[in-house]
Amino acid sequence: MHGWIILDKPLGLGSTQAVSAVKRALRQGGYGKAKVGHGGTLDPLASGVLPVAVGEATKLAGRMLDSDKVYEFTIGFGVETDTLDGEGKEIATSDVRPTRGAVEAVLPRFTGPIEQVPPAYSALKVDGERAYDLARAGEEVVLATRAVTVFSLAVAPAEAGAAGLPGDVSASTPAAPASAGATVDAITLIARVSKGTYIRSLARDIAHALGTVGHVTYLRRVKAGPFDLSHAISLDKLTESANARRLEQILLPLRAGLDDIPALSLDPDQAGALRQGRVLVGIAEDAHSKGGLHFAMLGETPVALVEVESGEARVVRGFNL
């Protein structure tokens, strides 16, 4: 078993628990022990796409962590909490409610390279301690700003808040947007962001820019790297497949995590050289003319992720397949 299982993680479940669910499914299906890891933490209060790497795919989990993510989220205006979501306690209130038009007008300020202060309740470390542990202990947590990129940010269309949502979302499921001139108590946005972007911080800062306060009332990841909700399965489907001993039917191939990387076809001698960690020389012009990362294959068998430059291919990650 080498590849990806893409979960539609439900609310209330941590990423580590989701990985444990996949390990349990592998045991139930009689597949034996396998390395399992996730490709990007998703908070318990968020739902959506969680790529889980199995076997040799775990060697690519780091690339998945670095990939862009797309989130759909709702900002509830008028209350800010210490966690910047619905789990925390109220720390600020405001009677100010923005109009939909005002929200749309301010979004360009948060698009592109931006600086943001992560939430105090985050997994970042301060002097060796997790920030959320310090915050829960009542200590003041001061985190440095970080540079992130918001590639796109827009108000969700009326149907976006309802499309593809699981049955476990809370009462904060977004409603259809109001007209541009009407004030709103909440608004749903869709953002494509770089690694390290905190949606809770983005929501806080947007609210502040609108002269009010707010927090995230709903958060759903709709895409992580190449994987979106069309690839995702529920935990019930995972369990059902395990009990029927047909997890292979829901396992996406190792290559699926690299769909943006061109393939490099090998002959048996070349495959043997890469498996020994040697550098290939004389790579065909049509392959090395592109340069960069390639997915080296012997027929249908993945051999290595390689870096091609000046007609040479060097192993970045080798696969024991």
Side-chain angles (χ1 to χ4, degrees), residues 158-227:
E159 66 276 14
L165 297 185
D168 58 10
V169 296
S170 68
S172 60
T173 300
S179 63
T183 57
V184 292
D185 291 319
I187 198 159
T188 299
L189 307 176
I190 296 179
R192 182 169 74 90
V193 301
S194 69
K195 167 190 175 182
T197 304
Y198 281 93
I199 297 298
R200 288 175 292 155
S201 293
L202 186 61
R204 172 199 62 204
D205 296 344
I206 289 171
H208 288 178
L210 291 164
T212 185
V213 295
H215 67 281
V216 171
T217 61
Y218 159 84
L219 178 60
R220 182 156 172 79
R221 187 155 70 192
V222 297
K223 190 174 184 182
F227 302 120

Side-chain angles (χ1 to χ4, degrees), residues 23 38-39 59 92 124 133 140 144 205 208 256 279 290:
K23 290 180 177 178
H38 64 74
K59 294 179 178 178
L124 296 176
D133 287 332
E140 183 180 2
D205 296 344
H208 288 178
V279 177
K290 301 174 185 176

Side-chain angles (χ1 to χ4, degrees), residues 1 3 23 26 33-37 52-59 320:
M1 295 288 283
K23 290 180 177 178
L26 290 170
K33 289 186 177 181
K35 291 182 179 179
V36 181
V52 178
V54 179
E56 289 296 281
T58 56
K59 294 179 178 178
N320 298 319

Side-chain angles (χ1 to χ4, degrees), residues 7-8 39-42 46-51 64-74 149-157 160 163 165 188-199 202 218-229:
L7 293 181
D8 186 349
T41 301
L42 197 56
S47 67
V49 176
L50 180 67
M64 198 60 58
L65 292 171
D66 291 339
S67 65
D68 300 346
K69 312 292 192 300
V70 179
Y71 294 92
E72 182 176 275
F73 63 103
T74 299
T149 301
V150 178
F151 299 103
S152 63
L153 179 63
V155 175
L165 297 185
T188 299
L189 307 176
I190 296 179
R192 182 169 74 90
V193 301
S194 69
K195 167 190 175 182
T197 304
Y198 281 93
I199 297 298
L202 186 61
Y218 159 84
L219 178 60
R220 182 156 172 79
R221 187 155 70 192
V222 297
K223 190 174 184 182
F227 302 120
D228 59 29
L229 288 170

Side-chain angles (χ1 to χ4, degrees), residues 99-260:
T99 63
R100 175 187 163 98
V103 175
E104 291 175 330
V106 84
L107 295 185
R109 291 168 51 182
F110 297 94
T111 306
I114 64 170
E115 298 277 336
Q116 66 172 201
V117 177
Y121 285 81
S122 67
L124 296 176
K125 287 191 175 181
V126 179
D127 296 329
E129 299 288 336
R130 296 290 185 186
Y132 56 66
D133 287 332
L134 296 174
R136 286 168 183 158
E139 296 187 32
E140 183 180 2
V141 177
V142 179
L143 297 173
T145 60
R146 56 166 51 192
V148 298
T149 301
V150 178
F151 299 103
S152 63
L153 179 63
V155 175
E159 66 276 14
L165 297 185
D168 58 10
V169 296
S170 68
S172 60
T173 300
S179 63
T183 57
V184 292
D185 291 319
I187 198 159
T188 299
L189 307 176
I190 296 179
R192 182 169 74 90
V193 301
S194 69
K195 167 190 175 182
T197 304
Y198 281 93
I199 297 298
R200 288 175 292 155
S201 293
L202 186 61
R204 172 199 62 204
D205 296 344
I206 289 171
H208 288 178
L210 291 164
T212 185
V213 295
H215 67 281
V216 171
T217 61
Y218 159 84
L219 178 60
R220 182 156 172 79
R221 187 155 70 192
V222 297
K223 190 174 184 182
F227 302 120
D228 59 29
L229 288 170
S230 69
H231 302 104
I233 62 166
S234 67
L235 287 180
D236 286 344
K237 177 69 173 178
L238 175 69
T239 301
E240 175 187 318
S241 297
N243 290 338
R245 299 183 182 275
R246 48 182 172 81
L247 285 176
E248 295 92 341
Q249 296 181 16
I250 64 171
L251 184 77
L252 299 181
L254 188 148
R255 171 81 198 260
L258 301 171
D259 70 346
D260 58 334

